[in-house]
Amino acid sequence: MATGEWSPDEIRNLVSRLTLEQKVAQLAGLSAADLFTQSEAGPAVEPLRIKDIRPHGVGHLSLAWFLGQDADSMRGLLAQIQYVVREVSPFGIGALVHNEGINGFLHASGSQFPTAWAQAATWDPALVRRAATVTSAHMLDAGIQLMFAPVMDINGDPRWGRVHETYGEDPELAAQMSVAFVRGAQHEPGVLSAGKHFLGYGASEGALNQAATQLGRRSLVDEYAEPFRRAIVEAGLSAVMNSYNEIDGVPVAANRWLLTEFLRETLGFDGLVVSDYDSVNLLRTHHRTARTEGEAAVQALSAGLDVELPGNANFASLADEVAAGRLDEKVVDVAVARVLGIKARVGLVPGFGQPPAPAVRPDRAEAAEVRRAIAARGTVLLQNDGILPLTPGERRIVVVGPAADELRIHFGAYTSVSSAEMPLGMMAVMEGKVPGVDPATFNFTDIFQTRMPGMDPTFEGVARDLHPDAPSVLDAVRELDAKVEFVSLGGFGKDDCLDAGTVRAAVAHADVVLAVVGERTGWVGNNTAGEGQSTASPSLPGDQEDLLEHLAATGKPLVTVVVSGRPLLLEKAARASNAVLLAPLLGEEAGTAIAHTLFGLINPSGKLPSTFPRHLGQIPLYHGHHHGSGYEHPTGTRHGYGDLDTQGPLYAFGHGLSYTTFEVALDERDESDDRPAVELVDGVVRARLTVANTGAVGGETVVQLYARDEFASVVRPVRQLIAFTRVGLAAGETRSLVLEAPVERLHYTLTDGRRGIEPGDVTVLAGLAADALPCAATITVG
């Protein structure tokens, strides 16, 4: 057999040559933490330990992001580990190494990008693809083959702490971003993408992490699975990670309908299914569907979950389960064949597939250009009465707010900052420095919820050490206007409080007040958002709402910058402020992007990927709700909240202002062209539009195309996003454009179980936001 040529039959033959113990070894992870040793010189990595703890081979290496302090040391350690793995593994099979990559390469040496939610706010899939391509090069350079990204979860409930990892609430926006990411991630031969979390994870009950998902099968299949469906078909998604939740009483990690019947048989996925960390354990400790490790392993493997991560706590029992007759070895063989098929694709099986791809150094100049573009296009102007943009030196500006001079607040989880904070937080716990926490009984998974008083300066120092050239908002504003003053007002803590007199005195001589507020997001520390960190009320923490109300009471013009990776309840902030600018966790480019936007060097063009509710009681709130539900009803008034004067959102999905104005209209041609502006041709919805910049400065906007199926035997959404495009126009310029979408975008599960659309009228809508759709036309689907 020539190198690079192999077939599924040959992979199955290779499987047949392995012992049962060697097969099982391919189905589990080895944590990099298990290779650390402690000496007087400090912790060190000892790859030779693999021979003792994994004598039958290593399937996967977990937690690689904790290896090495820089790119060279990480690369070297992984090469040493891989060398020992090939020595102990049958036929010299290497370990599949994975790493996180949703915001860039998760390591101190990696290029970082604004969060996925910020990327979605650009409505620019091309930027997402470019970012993923850079991250892929980092993976290949380090010797890592599997990227755990993108996060394809749909979320309509901002109480959930992981919103910032997602592309927002809309299946179409998330699908286009996911496809772009996977194409970029798999651009380099030797690197594959794993989409997560399958399925419905972002719709957990009460927005609590790992809680049950109360969704009907049509919602799962038609809406929440759309990004996965598209990434599989359009981008060749190679791996999928299960979600932690249970659906209708069955944990996803043990759900055969989801992982086999739907994912593989219906969606046509032929890749690898890996467990989210500890999710097989949770069958015993959390869901309690399994009594023993062996029972949990059998449930997961039989459902179609191929690999347990990060270790082998449960899958180590698979050989015993086969020996006892509780599991057919053929089930093990199927999973092993999938693992080896993926390994062959990335050069980890000698004699199969391509040899390991040569290292491609990441293009750091490209990374810088992309992250600047994302930050510039992802900043969203929520409201503005004309006070913005500011002019340097024209008025006395006083800056306040706890987020003004902090860098860390602009980073979310799965970034270099959060990764560096994790060991520091664990060390503080183990050394007994965290009040109320007993190191002897501490559970590692509780690290996300543990408050750490006094650690904020340490964590801020970490962010500044990792990104020494990144300015805070205050620093960046002062670079443009040296006369800006700063007064430290406001805090994130529960005990922070302000009195009106202190605020009034602080800004008495100001012509304009700039308040920079928000919430911290991450893994450890005093965060209010992040993995495992849901909030009952997604509001500005501490005394920040009071700060804004006290500022408004002074009568001084107030510009508010909100730093957040999810929608917050901002009605009080909106009432108090003359302008509100959203900075959706822009990372190291945040300070510059915000300052340049405030002073008009950047004309804002970001659009919201999620709906902002005006009241806690509206949650969950999202634009694509069904007829008869939600806040907007094309057929007339429906039941609403009697104690709310306005039923709709504070800021709608797709909303985002500019320093210029735009108009969108149907492109009605002259009499010689009798084609309608909106038509269905060869299965494609095509809309001819004109977009005009009606203001005095050039700018960019995002033209959005929606559709509504007017009548169906299954209740349909009041609107579905089906296409969009970003366009830049000079002042006074008008341009014609065509937006297209295959009619399959409107398909759903019919009453007989098939996927399609019934004949009838479809209303096509176009505009600049979900609540600003002036263009409408009707097409008939035959």
Side-chain angles (χ1 to χ4, degrees), residues 256-269:
R256 181 171 176 81
W257 172 73
L258 267 176
L259 300 183
T260 297
E261 295 175 25
F262 180 47
L263 177 60
R264 294 193 182 278
E265 297 171 9
T266 300
L267 298 186
F269 178 71

Side-chain angles (χ1 to χ4, degrees), residues 750-767:
L750 302 168
T751 54
D752 61 5
R754 293 180 300 110
R755 186 171 167 80
I757 183 172
E758 297 165 293
D761 289 343
V762 171
T763 299
V764 179
L765 307 146

Side-chain angles (χ1 to χ4, degrees), residues 699-776:
E700 296 183 7
T701 191
V702 178
V703 181
Q704 304 161 35
L705 191 69
Y706 298 78
R708 176 171 60 243
D709 193 345
E710 293 293 357
F711 290 93
S713 55
V714 173
V715 181
R716 304 302 301 134
V718 296
R719 75 179 70 80
Q720 290 177 252
L721 180 69
I722 60 172
F724 56 88
T725 189
R726 176 174 277 273
V727 58
L729 298 172
E733 181 182 0
T734 298
R735 187 179 304 171
S736 296
L737 56 86
V738 177
L739 285 180
E740 296 182 337
V743 75
E744 284 82 3
R745 296 288 183 269
L746 299 172
H747 281 192
Y748 54 92
T749 303
L750 302 168
T751 54
D752 61 5
R754 293 180 300 110
R755 186 171 167 80
I757 183 172
E758 297 165 293
D761 289 343
V762 171
T763 299
V764 179
L765 307 146
L768 301 176
D771 65 344
L773 301 171
C775 307

Side-chain angles (χ1 to χ4, degrees), residues 9-321:
D9 286 341
E10 289 161 335
I11 290 289
R12 284 190 287 269
N13 179 59
L14 178 60
V15 172
S16 71
R17 298 167 65 189
L18 304 180
T19 67
L20 178 57
E21 289 74 17
Q22 290 171 337
K23 293 175 185 176
V24 170
Q26 292 297 314
L27 302 183
L30 168 65
S31 172
D34 292 337
L35 304 181
F36 280 86
T37 59
Q38 188 68 38
S39 67
E40 292 183 0
V45 177
E46 182 46 75
L48 290 176
R49 294 196 67 199
I50 294 170
K51 295 183 176 182
D52 296 323
I53 61 180
R54 289 291 196 276
H56 301 294
V58 176
H60 311 259
L61 184 69
S62 305
L63 295 167
W65 50 89
F66 289 126
L67 295 172
Q69 299 301 313
D70 52 33
D72 290 338
S73 60
M74 183 187 206
R75 187 187 311 110
L77 286 170
L78 284 174
Q80 293 175 41
I81 291 169
Q82 199 69 270
Y83 181 84
V84 179
V85 167
R86 289 186 182 276
E87 280 191 323
V88 302
S89 297
F91 308 107
I93 299 169
L96 190 66
V97 186
H98 60 255
N99 205 73
E100 300 286 351
I102 187 62
N103 307 310
F105 186 58
L106 182 58
H107 192 260
S109 66
S111 299
Q112 305 295 294
F113 297 101
T115 57
W117 199 58
Q119 294 172 36
T122 70
W123 290 57
D124 192 341
L127 281 178
V128 174
R129 180 171 182 169
R130 289 174 64 189
T133 300
V134 171
T135 304
S136 181
H138 275 289
M139 299 277 177
L140 194 61
D141 178 48
I144 296 170
Q145 301 82 31
L146 187 58
M147 189 191 307
F148 279 176
V151 173
M152 302 183 185
D153 297 306
I154 303 299
N155 173 267
D157 191 330
R159 294 175 297 174
W160 194 49
R162 301 188 73 173
V163 175
H164 71 289
E165 298 176 42
T166 77
Y167 296 125
E169 73 180 43
D170 185 81
E172 179 63 25
L173 180 60
Q176 291 203 32
M177 295 298 183
S178 296
V179 167
F181 189 102
V182 174
R183 287 174 174 167
Q186 299 187 164
H187 171 77
E188 299 289 352
V191 179
L192 302 176
S193 174
K196 56 185 186 177
H197 307 84
F198 196 81
L199 187 63
Y201 181 46
S204 58
E205 188 174 69
L208 294 172
N209 197 46
Q210 302 179 355
T213 294
Q214 305 288 3
L215 291 174
R217 187 161 291 193
R218 275 194 176 85
S219 293
L220 284 168
V221 170
D222 297 339
E223 298 167 23
Y224 287 81
E226 183 67 9
F228 292 91
R229 175 184 288 109
R230 299 269 287 283
I232 290 167
V233 173
E234 298 177 23
L237 181 67
S238 300
V240 164
M241 176 184 284
N242 75 285
S243 55
Y244 285 118
N245 52 307
E246 56 105 334
I247 299 173
D248 197 23
V250 182
V252 171
N255 193 319
R256 181 171 176 81
W257 172 73
L258 267 176
L259 300 183
T260 297
E261 295 175 25
F262 180 47
L263 177 60
R264 294 193 182 278
E265 297 171 9
T266 300
L267 298 186
F269 178 71
D270 62 359
L272 189 66
V273 177
V274 301
S275 84
D276 203 345
Y277 279 17
D278 214 37
S279 62
V280 180
N281 258 344
L282 292 180
L283 298 177
R284 296 183 294 110
T285 63
H286 180 74
H287 299 296
R288 302 182 70 79
T289 61
R291 294 174 178 83
T292 66
E293 288 85 351
E295 192 173 355
V298 170
Q299 286 182 9
L301 194 71
S302 300
L305 195 152
D306 302 314
V307 176
E308 178 182 14
L309 298 174
N312 67 345
N314 302 278
F315 274 28
S317 301
L318 285 173
D320 292 339
E321 295 298 309

